Amino acid sequence: LAKTTQPISMDSYEGQEVNITCSHNNIATNDYITWYQQFPSQGPRFIIQGYKTKVTNEVASLFIPADRKSSTLSLPRVSLSDTAVYYCLVGALSYNTDKLIFGTGTRLQVFP
Amino acid sequence: EAGVTQFPSHSVIEKGQTVTLRCDPISGHDNLYWYRRVMGKEIKFLLHFVKESKQDESGMPNNRFLAERTGGTYSTLKVQPAELEDSGVYFCASSQSRDNEQFFGPGTRLTVL
């Protein structure tokens, strides 16, 4: 499973767009990129998943360049409630086991 | 629809005692996972059930940990005897199929004194 590297922390203000970049230089051909969000005292929560180019849902957008060695999670117009830890995970959907491999995550702090 | 629930939310025990954690997955989810985060470390996979069968238990740290899922519904994770290094947050997750997202419970915070 590919190792991921992402910033330990980021600060932002309400209303701003936040972009969190994750590096995964050893991503395999059949790997997907998945982002989870975790609030204090809660379990991680799936945000978005993609394979290539751009994926958008009601929560975020995920940008994946052609070489797929990195990805960027984009949160439009963040609010205080977006303060959380964001994890970038890389792995195929159809391994014999589907264990998620979490890295250190990026701690996003949104200020008023 | 109820989410993944875990019981208890907190547990404080002394070294050498036994603790049993329970996880109730989302109804209909055949896949159930246990993870844990020990102090200062990353969330680590422990094991994966498909219905009542253990699909992958490669993350179980040692034989003091025993996970069961009798009947393929709820699961228990027993630690016996507990050691200081077992302190941390234990998460349970479930998914409908192996190609679906995993839904996590709120976790059980275990403190071993």
Side-chain angles (χ1 to χ4, degrees):
Chain A
L1 294 169
K3 179 178 171 58
T4 61
T5 302
Q6 51 185 123
I8 293 176
S9 64
M10 294 182 69
D11 292 337
S12 183
Y13 292 92
E14 283 191 293
Q16 290 188 331
E17 177 185 75
V18 171
N19 296 307
I20 306 175
T21 297
C22 177
S23 297
H24 27 80
N25 291 317
N26 297 321
I27 190 168
T29 303
N30 58 345
D31 282 344
Y32 281 74
I33 300 155
T34 308
W35 286 79
Y36 275 76
Q37 173 192 56
Q38 185 180 23
F39 297 114
S41 301
Q42 293 187 27
R45 182 176 75 109
F46 173 90
I47 301 178
I48 197 166
Q49 183 179 73
Y51 183 79
K52 63 179 179 180
T53 63
K54 176 184 175 182
V55 179
T56 298
N57 61 23
E58 65 278 5
V59 177
S61 293
L62 178 59
F63 298 91
I64 305 168
D67 66 6
R68 305 198 329 120
K69 292 184 183 300
S70 67
S71 59
T72 299
L73 175 73
S74 180
L75 305 172
R77 299 183 59 79
V78 294
S79 63
L80 295 177
S81 62
D82 291 317
T83 294
V85 179
Y86 292 82
Y87 296 97
C88 166
L89 295 85
V90 171
L93 282 177
S94 300
Y95 285 152
N96 288 329
T97 176
D98 309 299
K99 57 187 176 186
L100 299 178
I101 308 296
F102 287 88
T104 55
T106 296
R107 185 173 299 276
L108 173 65
Q109 179 69 54
V110 180
F111 296 95
Chain B
E1 178 182 331
V4 177
T5 58
Q6 293 186 243
F7 182 83
S9 57
H10 294 85
S11 180
V12 181
I13 61 173
E14 293 188 350
K15 175 182 173 181
Q17 289 186 321
T18 297
V19 63
T20 300
L21 313 180
R22 173 171 170 144
C23 168
D24 285 79
I26 293 172
S27 178
H29 282 193
D30 288 340
N31 295 270
L32 187 149
Y33 310 81
W34 284 98
Y35 297 83
R36 75 170 180 176
R37 188 214 305 273
V38 296
M39 185 65 69
K41 298 291 183 64
E42 298 157 5
I43 298 172
K44 295 288 189 184
F45 166 84
L46 294 179
L47 86 158
H48 169 205
F49 283 99
V50 178
K51 297 184 180 180
E52 67 275 10
S53 300
K54 292 176 183 175
Q55 181 73 22
D56 180 359
E57 50 185 330
S58 62
M60 294 289 264
N62 51 60
N63 59 10
R64 295 186 294 103
F65 289 75
L66 175 64
E68 295 181 322
R69 193 183 182 195
T70 305
T73 54
Y74 71 90
S75 174
T76 58
L77 179 65
K78 182 163 69 173
V79 185
Q80 179 183 29
E83 298 290 343
L84 299 178
E85 64 264 25
D86 300 331
S87 295
V89 181
Y90 290 76
F91 294 104
C92 174
S94 72
S95 68
Q96 189 169 32
S97 74
R98 293 165 64 180
D99 286 349
N100 290 141
E101 66 181 272
Q102 295 183 23
F103 294 85
F104 281 77
T108 292
R109 181 172 295 278
L110 174 64
T111 301
V112 182
L113 302 175

